[in-house]
Amino acid sequence: MSGNTFGKLFTVTTAGESHGPALVAIVDGCPPGLPLSAEDLQDDLDRRKPGTSRHTTQRKEPDQVEILSGVFEGQTTGCPIGLLIRNTDQKSKDYSAIKDIFRPAHADYSYHHKYGQRDYRGGGRSSARETAMRVAAGAIAKKYLATQGIMVRGYMSQLGPIEIDFKSWDAVHDNAFFSPDPGKVAELEAYMDQLRRDQDSVGAKITVVAQGVMPGLGEPVFDRLDADLAHALMSINAVKGVEVGAGFACVAQRGTEHRDELTPEGFLSNHAGGVLGGISSGQPIVAHLALKPTSSITTPGRSIDTAGQPVEMITKGRHDPCVGIRATPIAEAMMAIVLMDHLLRHRGQNAEVQVSTPVLPQL
Amino acid sequence: MSGNTFGKLFTVTTAGESHGPALVAIVDGCPPGLPLSAEDLQDDLDRRKPGTSRHTTQRKEPDQVEILSGVFEGQTTGCPIGLLIRNTDQKSKDYSAIKDIFRPAHADYSYHHKYGQRDYRGGGRSSARETAMRVAAGAIAKKYLATQGIMVRGYMSQLGPIEIDFKSWDAVHDNAFFSPDPGKVAELEAYMDQLRRDQDSVGAKITVVAQGVMPGLGEPVFDRLDADLAHALMSINAVKGVEVGAGFACVAQRGTEHRDELTPEGFLSNHAGGVLGGISSGQPIVAHLALKPTSSITTPGRSIDTAGQPVEMITKGRHDPCVGIRATPIAEAMMAIVLMDHLLRHRGQNAEVQVSTPVLPQL
Amino acid sequence: MSGNTFGKLFTVTTAGESHGPALVAIVDGCPPGLPLSAEDLQDDLDRRKPGTSRHTTQRKEPDQVEILSGVFEGQTTGCPIGLLIRNTDQKSKDYSAIKDIFRPAHADYSYHHKYGQRDYRGGGRSSARETAMRVAAGAIAKKYLATQGIMVRGYMSQLGPIEIDFKSWDAVHDNAFFSPDPGKVAELEAYMDQLRRDQDSVGAKITVVAQGVMPGLGEPVFDRLDADLAHALMSINAVKGVEVGAGFACVAQRGTEHRDELTPEGFLSNHAGGVLGGISSGQPIVAHLALKPTSSITTPGRSIDTAGQPVEMITKGRHDPCVGIRATPIAEAMMAIVLMDHLLRHRGQNAEVQVSTPVLPQL
Amino acid sequence: MSGNTFGKLFTVTTAGESHGPALVAIVDGCPPGLPLSAEDLQDDLDRRKPGTSRHTTQRKEPDQVEILSGVFEGQTTGCPIGLLIRNTDQKSKDYSAIKDIFRPAHADYSYHHKYGQRDYRGGGRSSARETAMRVAAGAIAKKYLATQGIMVRGYMSQLGPIEIDFKSWDAVHDNAFFSPDPGKVAELEAYMDQLRRDQDSVGAKITVVAQGVMPGLGEPVFDRLDADLAHALMSINAVKGVEVGAGFACVAQRGTEHRDELTPEGFLSNHAGGVLGGISSGQPIVAHLALKPTSSITTPGRSIDTAGQPVEMITKGRHDPCVGIRATPIAEAMMAIVLMDHLLRHRGQNAEVQVSTPVLPQL
């Protein structure tokens, strides 16, 4: 399949550019009978939405989604669900200056060489604006997963140099940073305010967790659950690294430390991040992702134009100084889509499997 | 597609268990006219082969591959290439004791819950033995990529706590660890010898690099080149993390530091790892992967059996104390397969694109 | 992939019900640089449109398509093309009577058993209304294929008992039946008028031809060009049979008769329909499809309701007495999509192949 | 995916040429717990095997299959099943004369233009020899389907000009032609004997029927059950046409005749061939396929060589005078593979659907 479809049984296909008329998605494979309305998708869309605090881009997009198909009398029908979000706040004139210039660390250079041309308005297809549709599609997956007892949630675990410990899920919703530690919020705000004064941007680390996942999801050897998760999370704009469980920390771990021992009462640890041999173990699925600093900054940088001539580059316009701040709902959405797809695939092949061995909790 | 096929235009499908009769693969989509013989695959298979030093498992497998189809008069025909490796050193009796026990950090528990049963001999399908076929398939990709000026190579960049700096490619082939720094080998050997005395295992970090990749490979938004790389690398046994370019280091980077500036002479840095917006930029593709410590160790650990009863577990048999040591050829193979697939996909859609802008070197 | 996506490199994903808010499609993989506007799609949409003669349904749909993405400054960008057609003439009240009844030869019964529920308004997703998006997507393929010298055209070759000989392509556009024989039109009109008086419907046979197809398209053994064509054409509503070249006539043919001999001047016949071994031969690709009579007729029939009780069924509403009449543009669209996909796939794998043997014409 | 993989959840990937070392297949997605041994596959392989009567090619191949993986202690494990059949009776010297000549109606010309070269020995990959692996894979599907109450069977319904009425399933196994009418066998034998004397070949029509298929299989709009069936059956060598149910006869049918009325006791007819709106209805699935006359005949024909020069062509060697005679097990296999794939896909999405409406029998 071409590159704008994700998933095998539960598939999400998206289209749409930053400054085109609209974003559109088709979500195929959702089981029938799920109560669904546009409002169900709006909540996550609003969490991702720009302009909700001074720490994100000031572009104003209501991101109002319309369900075009696949829902009848308030329930999914099993037929593909069409989704539409009109772009409303496109200021195309802002972007004409960069038409023939490759912004450093942007996709301009690579799109130009791949396609021979590009929609330069706001990054076109390479803009993070497309992630709105991931969030909408992910909200469908989340809602279905909830009926199976699965909950997918995320938070910011690091902003630039500031590490953020997990304190509580409730805290996540009470601040603009998706910080799980309310005590860190003031520090984060101060850091971001200084960053804007510095005319610079910074990276971030996001953690996503799925609880209630039954053992058995994942299709070795190539479509391991963690491999598909890595695919999904690395496909988000600006992501440069993905970890499952202990992640890169496992390099320095010893086997006696890393292995999660089992007792009749449950697993004693979760270095595996909920995945053993590429298949969910029933423990929480835990993944981390690293997002690079926003490439669009107003501090001048060296670049070239399409003729190969040197230029000094300043990215104007309205940009997030830390793309990671709005990334939590996107990461949740991608994890939900992966779990949904694997749940359906697993059912397809193993519907008749019966196991008497009890499922262990995470201690 | 089911989970044992990777790729879309250049596809690799594998089957085979650790202690079954054979491993088998079908490589589909290789362009015709490529000179190919079993010897071409044997070199990389030998690099991955167990038992070549005291630091890896002592299982003896010649890993001799037979080409069953797709090659005629010494050249590929464009038809699918069948590959066969017979297992020769299966000691099935070694494994019967673990039939009803879930080894901690192994796939036993998750396979049991997924399929209701499992081939418990040496881990069955979940054994790293299957990676032999990845290496064989990857060698085909490597050989074709070489005709396009692309070279894929890897090395060990960290073993447990020991970080290994890159010194030279030549050094990589002169030691059992794939260490690019000959000066570190003695330290690595001493560490491994102590590890075996400790009856323990340790993790490792591998770095893979592709040079000569033309700009344009990658299919946003979901099949970005880095996303497919993450998928491919995370699908390797024991991998818990994948980074592209700066990876997790980008979390604490500022935009002014991370962005790779462009000059008419070339890119000034490569924090991006050769991928911009999910598409190759012409810079070297750089990825890192974290491998967990081997789960099979002789230090006793707590576990349960299929009836949920507690057991004390010791993994006997012949195991790698650090699975990362043999992982370099596997990681190279998976990167080569991804690049090959994306090269063909890119050609398919963009065969007619002509770009006059020069391709920049990495400075 | 789920069932609403067709193709591998050039993919078409559709959604939308007969009486929902809109039809939507995402066309992925179109090469960049193709001039494209909504007008380019409108022509074929108008050919398929209902209500253009008294011989088709009187539902009035302008079928006006909007391009939502993937086109910039009048050209395709290589990014996915989103398409939207609003439904305007949905008379939902017409359909409430059939909510709990299975109309004979409709998809009501099978959808009910598959999904447990269904959008009963006008057949919902099973309505031929979805084919509007096939036509729009196919028009993009057609336009690109034209740049490669490939032309896809179709005509009606039989209506009920009336066989229609091919006279000229020009004639096809001059009548409501897509008849290539202007001399037959009066007979067809009389037949249809009588059919309506009989309160009955009838089947039809459509022929589609692609000229200018280069040799080499098709991916044996499963994705033969003719196999994918059969898939594509059989996926059109009401189609019950597909033939390539001689089709079922080859059952009674002898080898000496069927084989298309080659001379330096060209092929002497085309019983193969342009496909040898699943790969295009450079001869015209010729396919025929059989469409069943419309199931929606006003002559009463026996059926049951969802409780299993017998009912007498009359299908009211606005229906085509012969769905085949509007099927020609749909069949063309599907053939164009298949050829487009295979052209890109072929290029991907075999871009470097050079053959000195001349391509033979069809004599 | 590339062209040698069929299916989405239950996938079959094959490789191997007529005169290479072996045929190989990987069957992925088979549910675990199915009792399976090589003997289970051998029965159908023997039905397809050449040389069992004077009416088929005299090539002697035992077609002995080895299971390489995916089966443990006599049961499938859910892991991919590797299959191997060694070629034993390759007389490569027979074929060297045709190295530079395009045999009429063969794949020589199209393979040459696609790949620039070809394995000319016995047709290489384009030989019907590859269908042995379809039969082996199909036997796995058949065995699983039988556990679900589904039985797939086929017969020859026409040989050249001789139509064969269905009399009984028992009769099919008692003659070399898979004729369901024992009274026709003598006529068929006489016809074939004359055909050989005429140095000619002839076409055939095969009918395949699946009984016991539950309603609900099929994924509209593109992966309708009948569309995937058409794909699968048209992908068999020599097939030029596929019909479902009434097939091309529906062109001349009226709606009142074609529609299968429903009563509380069951469906009154089966013109639909068991598929409504692309989804199985619970009625028997009925498909017909047309196979062209064998292209390899000893009556001289005109052709050209790779330099474009005219040649007179005689195909020597050992060939089936009617490829349709051995096609019944192949057609059964492909139908079984399609049903298996759709059964798993349907389960994946609709596992929770409950329908109280009774399933109707075929009256």
Side-chain angles (χ1 to χ4, degrees):
Chain A
M1 296 294 169
S2 279
N4 294 281
T5 297
F6 189 86
K8 298 202 172 171
L9 267 199
F10 180 79
T11 62
V12 176
T13 304
T14 71
E17 286 88 36
S18 173
H19 286 60
L23 305 175
V24 61
I26 296 175
V27 178
D28 201 4
C30 184
L34 179 72
L36 193 74
S37 69
E39 288 71 46
D40 292 320
L41 316 185
Q42 206 60 50
D43 191 44
D44 272 342
L45 282 169
D46 289 348
R47 292 171 69 218
R48 193 212 73 102
K49 202 168 65 176
T52 54
S53 84
R54 70 179 184 277
H55 306 297
T56 63
T57 170
Q58 295 308 299
R59 178 171 173 170
K60 298 288 184 202
E61 283 290 353
D63 279 353
Q64 201 140 10
V65 67
E66 181 186 6
I67 297 179
L68 300 175
S69 65
V71 175
F72 179 58
E73 297 182 340
Q75 295 199 342
T76 58
T77 61
C79 296
I81 302 168
L83 302 175
L84 182 73
I85 297 175
R86 291 276 173 190
N87 288 326
T88 61
D89 188 19
Q90 319 103 298
K91 297 192 178 172
S92 289
K93 58 186 168 184
D94 288 350
Y95 294 93
S96 53
I98 57 167
K99 179 180 172 182
D100 297 319
I101 291 176
F102 304 126
R103 293 167 298 164
H106 281 79
D108 300 348
Y109 181 84
S110 54
Y111 268 69
H112 176 77
H113 277 278
K114 182 177 187 68
Y115 301 116
Q117 61 184 135
R118 62 194 167 88
D119 180 346
Y120 50 79
R121 299 166 304 165
R125 183 67 177 152
S126 74
S127 164
R129 176 128 192 82
E130 58 91 353
T131 59
M133 270 308 176
R134 302 183 183 224
V135 169
I140 298 174
K142 276 181 174 183
K143 189 156 193 208
Y144 181 79
L145 291 173
T147 69
Q148 312 292 307
I150 299 172
M151 183 157 44
V152 180
R153 291 180 296 192
Y155 58 86
M156 177 177 279
S157 41
Q158 187 172 341
L159 177 100
I162 308 169
E163 294 185 26
I164 309 168
D165 289 338
F166 181 80
K167 299 292 184 185
S168 84
W169 287 113
D170 286 343
V172 173
H173 309 296
D174 291 340
N175 62 83
F177 301 97
F178 298 86
S179 164
D181 179 357
K184 284 277 186 179
V185 173
E187 184 182 351
L188 296 171
E189 291 194 323
Y191 183 87
M192 289 302 296
D193 289 340
Q194 181 60 44
L195 190 70
R196 276 198 305 281
R197 284 190 292 270
D198 295 345
Q199 301 195 322
D200 216 334
S201 61
V202 79
K205 183 174 161 186
I206 304 295
T207 297
V208 234
V209 179
Q211 282 168 307
V213 178
M214 57 292 289
L217 307 196
E219 303 295 330
V221 295
F222 295 119
D223 290 352
R224 284 171 149 88
L225 182 59
D226 39 3
D228 269 1
L229 259 179
H231 185 153
L233 297 175
M234 192 71 96
S235 81
I236 299 173
N237 299 48
V239 173
K240 302 302 289 180
V242 176
E243 297 180 316
V244 173
F248 278 87
C250 78
V251 172
Q253 283 179 328
R254 292 212 163 189
T256 44
E257 176 188 4
H258 179 86
R259 65 176 168 181
D260 302 313
E261 291 179 300
L262 297 80
T263 70
E265 291 71 41
F267 285 94
L268 297 180
S269 55
N270 190 13
H271 294 290
V275 184
L276 290 171
I279 297 172
S280 64
S281 67
Q283 294 181 278
I285 312 286
V286 181
H288 311 283
L289 45 159
L291 290 105
K292 68 175 186 180
T294 315
S295 309
S296 303
I297 49 181
T298 48
T299 300
R302 277 171 290 180
S303 192
I304 62 167
D305 62 21
T306 53
Q309 295 306 304
V311 294
E312 193 185 74
M313 181 71 222
I314 298 175
T315 307
K316 291 177 184 160
R318 305 157 297 173
H319 301 288
D320 288 284
C322 172
V323 287
I325 292 179
R326 297 199 283 132
T328 295
I330 307 167
E332 291 170 4
M334 292 312 296
M335 184 182 266
I337 289 167
V338 169
L339 289 171
M340 184 80 181
D341 188 33
H342 276 280
L343 176 58
L344 303 191
R345 291 173 73 178
H346 173 59
R347 265 190 202 161
Q349 188 182 6
N350 302 302
E352 297 164 314
V353 170
Q354 291 182 343
V355 181
S356 59
T357 308
V359 175
L360 296 181
Q362 174 70 48
L363 297 181
Chain B
M1 296 294 168
S2 280
N4 293 281
T5 297
F6 188 87
K8 299 205 170 167
L9 267 200
F10 179 79
T11 61
V12 176
T13 305
T14 71
E17 286 89 34
S18 174
H19 285 60
L23 305 176
V24 61
I26 295 176
V27 178
D28 201 4
C30 184
L34 179 72
L36 194 73
S37 69
E39 289 70 47
D40 292 322
L41 316 184
Q42 206 60 49
D43 190 45
D44 272 341
L45 283 169
D46 290 347
R47 293 171 68 219
R48 192 212 73 102
K49 202 168 66 175
T52 54
S53 84
R54 70 179 184 276
H55 307 298
T56 62
T57 170
Q58 295 308 300
R59 177 171 175 172
K60 298 288 183 202
E61 284 289 354
D63 280 355
Q64 201 141 10
V65 68
E66 181 186 5
I67 297 179
L68 300 175
S69 65
V71 175
F72 179 58
E73 297 182 341
Q75 296 199 341
T76 58
T77 61
C79 296
I81 302 168
L83 302 175
L84 183 73
I85 296 175
R86 292 274 173 192
N87 289 325
T88 61
D89 188 20
Q90 319 103 298
K91 299 193 177 169
S92 289
K93 58 185 168 183
D94 288 349
Y95 295 94
S96 54
I98 58 167
K99 180 180 173 182
D100 296 320
I101 291 177
F102 304 126
R103 293 167 298 164
H106 281 80
D108 300 348
Y109 180 85
S110 54
Y111 267 69
H112 176 78
H113 276 280
K114 182 177 188 68
Y115 300 117
Q117 61 183 137
R118 62 194 167 87
D119 181 346
Y120 50 79
R121 301 167 303 166
R125 183 69 177 150
S126 74
S127 163
R129 175 127 193 83
E130 58 91 352
T131 59
M133 270 308 176
R134 301 181 184 226
V135 169
I140 299 174
K142 275 181 175 182
K143 188 153 193 210
Y144 182 79
L145 291 173
T147 70
Q148 311 292 307
I150 299 172
M151 183 158 42
V152 180
R153 292 180 296 192
Y155 58 86
M156 178 177 279
S157 41
Q158 188 173 341
L159 177 100
I162 308 170
E163 294 185 25
I164 309 168
D165 287 338
F166 180 80
K167 300 291 185 184
S168 85
W169 286 113
D170 287 342
V172 172
H173 309 295
D174 291 340
N175 62 84
F177 301 98
F178 298 86
S179 164
D181 180 357
K184 284 275 186 179
V185 173
E187 184 181 351
L188 297 171
E189 290 194 325
Y191 184 86
M192 289 302 297
D193 289 339
Q194 182 59 44
L195 190 70
R196 276 198 306 278
R197 284 190 292 271
D198 294 347
Q199 301 195 323
D200 215 334
S201 62
V202 79
K205 182 172 161 187
I206 303 295
T207 297
V208 234
V209 179
Q211 283 168 307
V213 179
M214 58 290 291
L217 307 195
E219 303 295 330
V221 296
F222 295 119
D223 291 351
R224 283 172 150 88
L225 182 60
D226 40 2
D228 269 0
L229 260 179
H231 186 153
L233 297 174
M234 192 71 96
S235 81
I236 299 173
N237 299 48
V239 173
K240 301 302 288 180
V242 176
E243 296 180 317
V244 173
F248 278 87
C250 78
V251 172
Q253 283 179 329
R254 291 211 163 189
T256 43
E257 177 189 4
H258 179 85
R259 63 175 168 182
D260 302 314
E261 290 178 300
L262 297 81
T263 70
E265 291 71 40
F267 285 94
L268 297 179
S269 55
N270 190 12
H271 294 289
V275 185
L276 290 171
I279 297 172
S280 64
S281 67
Q283 295 181 277
I285 312 286
V286 181
H288 311 282
L289 44 160
L291 290 106
K292 69 175 186 181
T294 315
S295 310
S296 303
I297 50 180
T298 48
T299 299
R302 276 171 292 180
S303 193
I304 61 168
D305 61 19
T306 53
Q309 295 305 305
V311 293
E312 194 186 71
M313 182 71 222
I314 297 176
T315 306
K316 291 176 186 162
R318 304 158 296 173
H319 299 290
D320 287 285
C322 172
V323 286
I325 291 178
R326 298 199 282 132
T328 295
I330 308 167
E332 291 170 4
M334 292 312 295
M335 184 182 267
I337 289 167
V338 168
L339 288 171
M340 184 81 181
D341 188 34
H342 276 281
L343 177 58
L344 303 191
R345 291 173 73 179
H346 174 58
R347 265 191 204 158
Q349 188 182 7
N350 302 303
E352 297 164 312
V353 169
Q354 291 183 344
V355 181
S356 59
T357 308
V359 175
L360 295 182
Q362 173 70 47
L363 297 182
Chain C
M1 297 293 166
S2 280
N4 293 281
T5 297
F6 188 88
K8 298 202 171 168
L9 269 200
F10 180 79
T11 61
V12 176
T13 305
T14 71
E17 287 89 36
S18 173
H19 286 60
L23 305 176
V24 60
I26 296 175
V27 178
D28 201 4
C30 184
L34 179 73
L36 194 73
S37 69
E39 289 70 47
D40 292 321
L41 316 183
Q42 206 58 52
D43 191 43
D44 272 341
L45 283 169
D46 289 348
R47 293 171 69 218
R48 193 211 73 102
K49 204 168 63 175
T52 55
S53 83
R54 71 180 184 275
H55 307 296
T56 62
T57 169
Q58 294 309 298
R59 178 172 174 172
K60 296 290 183 200
E61 284 289 354
D63 279 353
Q64 200 140 10
V65 68
E66 181 186 6
I67 297 179
L68 300 175
S69 66
V71 175
F72 180 58
E73 298 184 337
Q75 295 199 341
T76 59
T77 62
C79 297
I81 303 168
L83 302 175
L84 183 73
I85 297 175
R86 293 276 174 191
N87 289 325
T88 61
D89 189 19
Q90 319 102 299
K91 299 193 177 170
S92 288
K93 58 185 169 184
D94 290 348
Y95 294 94
S96 54
I98 58 167
K99 179 180 174 181
D100 297 319
I101 291 177
F102 304 127
R103 294 167 297 164
H106 282 79
D108 302 348
Y109 180 84
S110 53
Y111 268 69
H112 176 78
H113 277 278
K114 182 177 188 67
Y115 300 116
Q117 60 184 134
R118 63 193 167 87
D119 180 347
Y120 50 79
R121 300 166 303 166
R125 183 67 177 153
S126 74
S127 163
R129 175 126 193 83
E130 59 92 351
T131 59
M133 270 307 177
R134 302 181 183 226
V135 169
I140 298 174
K142 275 182 176 180
K143 187 152 193 211
Y144 182 78
L145 292 173
T147 70
Q148 311 292 309
I150 299 172
M151 184 158 42
V152 180
R153 293 180 293 192
Y155 57 87
M156 178 177 278
S157 40
Q158 188 173 342
L159 177 100
I162 307 169
E163 293 185 27
I164 308 168
D165 289 336
F166 181 80
K167 299 292 185 184
S168 86
W169 287 112
D170 286 343
V172 173
H173 310 295
D174 291 340
N175 63 84
F177 301 97
F178 298 85
S179 163
D181 179 358
K184 283 277 184 177
V185 174
E187 184 181 352
L188 297 171
E189 292 194 323
Y191 183 86
M192 289 303 296
D193 288 340
Q194 180 60 43
L195 190 69
R196 276 197 307 281
R197 285 190 292 271
D198 294 346
Q199 301 195 321
D200 215 334
S201 62
V202 80
K205 182 172 162 187
I206 304 294
T207 297
V208 233
V209 179
Q211 282 168 306
V213 178
M214 58 290 292
L217 307 195
E219 303 294 329
V221 294
F222 295 120
D223 290 351
R224 282 171 152 89
L225 182 60
D226 40 2
D228 269 2
L229 259 179
H231 185 153
L233 297 175
M234 192 71 96
S235 81
I236 299 172
N237 301 48
V239 172
K240 303 302 288 180
V242 176
E243 297 180 317
V244 173
F248 278 86
C250 78
V251 172
Q253 283 180 328
R254 292 213 161 187
T256 43
E257 176 189 4
H258 179 84
R259 64 176 167 182
D260 303 312
E261 291 178 300
L262 297 80
T263 70
E265 289 72 41
F267 286 94
L268 298 179
S269 55
N270 190 12
H271 294 290
V275 185
L276 290 171
I279 297 171
S280 64
S281 66
Q283 294 181 278
I285 312 286
V286 181
H288 311 282
L289 44 160
L291 292 105
K292 70 176 187 179
T294 315
S295 309
S296 302
I297 49 180
T298 47
T299 300
R302 277 171 292 179
S303 192
I304 61 169
D305 61 22
T306 53
Q309 294 306 304
V311 294
E312 193 185 75
M313 183 70 222
I314 297 175
T315 306
K316 292 176 185 161
R318 305 157 296 174
H319 300 288
D320 287 284
C322 172
V323 286
I325 291 179
R326 297 199 285 133
T328 294
I330 307 166
E332 291 170 2
M334 293 312 295
M335 183 181 269
I337 290 167
V338 168
L339 289 171
M340 184 80 179
D341 188 34
H342 276 280
L343 176 58
L344 303 191
R345 292 173 73 179
H346 174 60
R347 266 189 204 162
Q349 187 182 7
N350 302 302
E352 297 164 314
V353 170
Q354 291 183 343
V355 182
S356 60
T357 309
V359 175
L360 295 182
Q362 175 70 50
L363 297 182
Chain D
M1 298 293 168
S2 280
N4 293 281
T5 297
F6 188 87
K8 299 204 170 167
L9 268 199
F10 180 80
T11 61
V12 177
T13 304
T14 71
E17 287 88 35
S18 174
H19 285 59
L23 305 175
V24 61
I26 296 176
V27 178
D28 201 4
C30 184
L34 179 72
L36 194 73
S37 69
E39 289 69 48
D40 292 322
L41 316 184
Q42 206 58 51
D43 191 43
D44 271 342
L45 282 169
D46 290 347
R47 293 171 67 218
R48 192 212 74 103
K49 204 168 63 176
T52 54
S53 83
R54 71 179 184 276
H55 307 298
T56 63
T57 168
Q58 294 308 300
R59 178 172 174 172
K60 297 288 182 202
E61 284 289 353
D63 279 355
Q64 201 140 11
V65 68
E66 181 186 5
I67 297 180
L68 300 175
S69 66
V71 175
F72 180 57
E73 296 183 340
Q75 295 199 342
T76 58
T77 62
C79 296
I81 301 168
L83 302 175
L84 183 73
I85 297 175
R86 292 273 174 193
N87 288 326
T88 61
D89 188 20
Q90 319 103 298
K91 299 194 178 169
S92 288
K93 58 186 168 183
D94 289 349
Y95 294 94
S96 54
I98 57 168
K99 180 180 172 181
D100 297 319
I101 290 177
F102 304 125
R103 293 167 298 164
H106 281 80
D108 301 348
Y109 180 85
S110 53
Y111 268 69
H112 175 78
H113 276 279
K114 182 176 188 67
Y115 300 115
Q117 61 184 131
R118 62 193 168 88
D119 181 346
Y120 51 79
R121 300 167 301 167
R125 183 67 178 152
S126 74
S127 164
R129 175 126 193 82
E130 58 91 353
T131 58
M133 270 307 176
R134 301 182 183 225
V135 169
I140 299 174
K142 274 182 175 181
K143 188 153 194 212
Y144 182 79
L145 291 173
T147 70
Q148 311 293 308
I150 299 172
M151 184 157 45
V152 180
R153 292 181 293 193
Y155 57 87
M156 178 178 277
S157 41
Q158 187 172 342
L159 177 99
I162 307 170
E163 294 185 25
I164 308 168
D165 288 337
F166 181 80
K167 300 291 184 184
S168 85
W169 286 113
D170 287 343
V172 172
H173 309 296
D174 291 341
N175 62 85
F177 301 96
F178 299 85
S179 164
D181 179 357
K184 284 276 185 178
V185 174
E187 184 181 351
L188 297 171
E189 292 193 324
Y191 184 86
M192 289 301 296
D193 288 339
Q194 181 59 45
L195 190 69
R196 277 197 306 281
R197 284 190 292 271
D198 294 347
Q199 301 195 320
D200 215 335
S201 61
V202 79
K205 182 173 162 187
I206 304 295
T207 297
V208 233
V209 179
Q211 282 167 307
V213 178
M214 58 289 291
L217 308 195
E219 303 294 331
V221 295
F222 295 119
D223 291 350
R224 284 171 150 89
L225 182 59
D226 40 2
D228 269 1
L229 258 178
H231 185 153
L233 297 175
M234 192 70 96
S235 81
I236 299 172
N237 300 45
V239 172
K240 302 302 289 181
V242 176
E243 296 179 317
V244 173
F248 278 87
C250 78
V251 171
Q253 284 179 327
R254 291 212 164 188
T256 42
E257 177 188 3
H258 179 85
R259 64 175 168 183
D260 303 312
E261 291 178 299
L262 297 80
T263 71
E265 290 72 40
F267 285 94
L268 297 180
S269 56
N270 189 13
H271 294 289
V275 184
L276 290 171
I279 297 172
S280 64
S281 67
Q283 294 181 278
I285 312 286
V286 181
H288 311 282
L289 44 159
L291 290 105
K292 69 175 185 180
T294 315
S295 309
S296 302
I297 49 180
T298 47
T299 300
R302 276 171 291 180
S303 192
I304 62 169
D305 61 22
T306 54
Q309 296 305 306
V311 294
E312 194 187 71
M313 183 71 223
I314 297 176
T315 306
K316 291 176 184 160
R318 304 157 298 173
H319 300 288
D320 288 285
C322 172
V323 287
I325 292 179
R326 297 199 283 134
T328 294
I330 308 166
E332 291 170 4
M334 293 312 296
M335 184 183 266
I337 290 167
V338 168
L339 289 171
M340 184 79 181
D341 189 34
H342 276 280
L343 177 58
L344 303 190
R345 291 174 74 179
H346 174 58
R347 267 190 202 160
Q349 187 182 6
N350 302 303
E352 297 165 313
V353 169
Q354 291 182 343
V355 181
S356 60
T357 308
V359 174
L360 295 182
Q362 174 71 49
L363 296 183

